[in-house]
Amino acid sequence: MNAPAHASPAITTTGGVAIPQIGFGLFKVAPDEARRVVEDALDVGYRHLDTASVYGNEAATGAALATSGLARDEVFVTTKLWIRDLGRDGALPAFDRSLDALGLDHVDLYLVHWPAPPLGRYIETWDVMTEIAESGRARAVGVSNFLPEHLDALDDHGLPRPAVNQIEVHPENQERHLRALCADRGIVVQAYSPLARGALVEHPALTPIADAHDVTVPQVVLRWHVQQGHVVLPKTVSRDRMAANLDVLGFTLTPSEMAAVDDLDRAARIGADPRTFTGA
Ligand SMILES: NC(=O)c1ccc[n+]([C@@H]2O[C@H](COP(=O)([O-])OP(=O)(O)OC[C@H]3O[C@@H](n4cnc5c(N)ncnc54)[C@H](OP(=O)(O)O)[C@@H]3O)[C@@H](O)[C@H]2O)c1
């Protein structure tokens, strides 16, 4: 493999775990295509892979990693605990299954995928996650789709804070309050669906900014994320778009361009509502 060292700077958790800022998302990458996709992603320079048990592509991700020629510690690997496995009895076997599928003895980050508050199991689950971290089989543990009330509940139970909260963030759903709260509490924000699943490609407020820098609209959006200082997880199956999405460090948005993107927020979440979603 002729992969360059990852160009992406690192964001470091309060526990000292460095996370490459631009990661590669694997949601909706079909299992039979995932091996090629991950091989391409590693080859163009990604050093951070974001999968989940529910994506069905952990095994293909692990297979691509195993034959990449890269050392284990060169690639940051995240997977996630699905909702049906919440709770003490479900979480430990689910974690073992994920490690088996990936063919790894540890992951870099293990996340509770959704709090699913109606099920009433996320507090108990978080307790198990901290035990997994203590065992060394996950270098860091965190949560995903946790709103302020869910983070507050962990605090109220005297539990350690998550290293990471992975949430839907893009120009039309900026989650400023939640991001500020995470920053206050030393929780790294990871932005999922950072390109609003491709919906912003022809946005009229973004095309002039892209033209001014001779880049594409997705590159403007990803640059905006990078300048916000959070981790960002674009997904694409196209090798050319993978390379373009990683190539956002050679230009800088001006304060007025950042402000123009900030103005696009309309609290338009694409994904499910974390208050009610139980995976059904
Ligand atoms: N924790 C959670 O609950 C959660 C939820 C959703 C996502 N995630 C994570 O976040 C990752 C990214 O989110 P996402 O997959 O929902 O959406 P996304 O990255 O915002 O957008 C992906 C879509 O944009 C297209 N795209 C990507 N780069 C492009 C480019 N340069 N030009 C034009 N179109 C482009 C892709 O199409 P092509 O593939 O055809 O290029 C795909 O349809 C996921 O893969 C997953 O790892 C986590």
Side-chain angles (χ1 to χ4, degrees), residues 114-178:
W114 290 85
L119 303 182
R121 292 205 284 268
Y122 72 87
I123 300 287
E124 174 192 339
T125 304
W126 184 245
D127 213 21
V128 180
M129 297 291 281
T130 62
E131 291 168 24
I132 287 172
E134 281 162 17
S135 78
R137 296 194 301 157
R139 293 176 62 225
V141 290
V143 296
S144 178
N145 297 295
F146 272 44
L147 299 175
E149 60 261 38
H150 310 127
L151 296 172
D152 287 346
L154 301 184
D155 275 7
D156 292 345
H157 283 77
L159 294 168
R161 286 180 171 158
V164 162
N165 191 12
Q166 185 180 121
I167 55 176
E168 180 182 332
V169 181
H170 47 75
E172 294 188 334
N173 189 64
Q174 296 188 23
E175 298 288 1
R176 284 183 207 153
H177 171 68
L178 178 53

Side-chain angles (χ1 to χ4, degrees), residues 61-250:
T61 298
L65 194 55
T67 54
S68 67
L70 293 165
R72 174 66 190 87
D73 64 2
E74 288 182 89
V75 184
F76 190 95
V77 179
T78 299
T79 194
K80 313 185 190 86
L81 176 75
W82 188 236
I83 295 167
R84 71 167 163 266
D85 299 316
L86 288 172
R88 179 165 291 278
D89 292 346
L92 287 170
F95 183 60
D96 287 341
R97 287 196 299 277
S98 282
L99 285 185
D100 278 354
L102 285 159
L104 299 177
D105 64 3
H106 73 279
V107 290
D108 297 280
L109 179 64
Y110 194 44
L111 301 178
V112 178
H113 207 148
W114 290 85
L119 303 182
R121 292 205 284 268
Y122 72 87
I123 300 287
E124 174 192 339
T125 304
W126 184 245
D127 213 21
V128 180
M129 297 291 281
T130 62
E131 291 168 24
I132 287 172
E134 281 162 17
S135 78
R137 296 194 301 157
R139 293 176 62 225
V141 290
V143 296
S144 178
N145 297 295
F146 272 44
L147 299 175
E149 60 261 38
H150 310 127
L151 296 172
D152 287 346
L154 301 184
D155 275 7
D156 292 345
H157 283 77
L159 294 168
R161 286 180 171 158
V164 162
N165 191 12
Q166 185 180 121
I167 55 176
E168 180 182 332
V169 181
H170 47 75
E172 294 188 334
N173 189 64
Q174 296 188 23
E175 298 288 1
R176 284 183 207 153
H177 171 68
L178 178 53
R179 286 194 289 132
L181 184 143
C182 288
D184 279 352
R185 297 185 186 182
I187 300 169
V188 171
V189 168
Q190 296 190 332
Y192 79 66
S193 301
L195 298 169
R197 298 199 185 153
L200 303 172
V201 174
E202 294 180 2
H203 197 293
L206 297 173
T207 46
I209 302 175
D211 291 347
H213 292 278
D214 199 16
V215 297
T216 65
V217 166
Q219 287 174 311
V220 167
V221 173
L222 293 169
R223 181 68 209 181
W224 172 83
H225 283 283
V226 166
Q227 286 182 219
Q228 298 277 353
H230 51 244
V231 175
V232 61
L233 303 167
K235 169 264 173 188
T236 176
V237 296
S238 149
R239 185 183 169 103
D240 288 347
R241 289 194 286 275
M242 288 174 196
N245 291 348
L246 200 54
D247 183 18
V248 297
L249 302 176

Side-chain angles (χ1 to χ4, degrees), residues 1-7 24 34-49 61 64-65 67-70 74-75 238-244 246:
M1 170 170 298
N2 299 314
H6 71 75
F24 185 76
R35 184 166 181 165
R36 189 278 302 167
V37 167
V38 174
E39 284 170 356
D40 279 352
L42 294 172
D43 201 37
V44 303
Y46 289 86
R47 292 294 179 269
H48 171 176
L49 303 172
T61 298
L65 194 55
T67 54
S68 67
L70 293 165
E74 288 182 89
V75 184
S238 149
R239 185 183 169 103
D240 288 347
R241 289 194 286 275
M242 288 174 196
L246 200 54

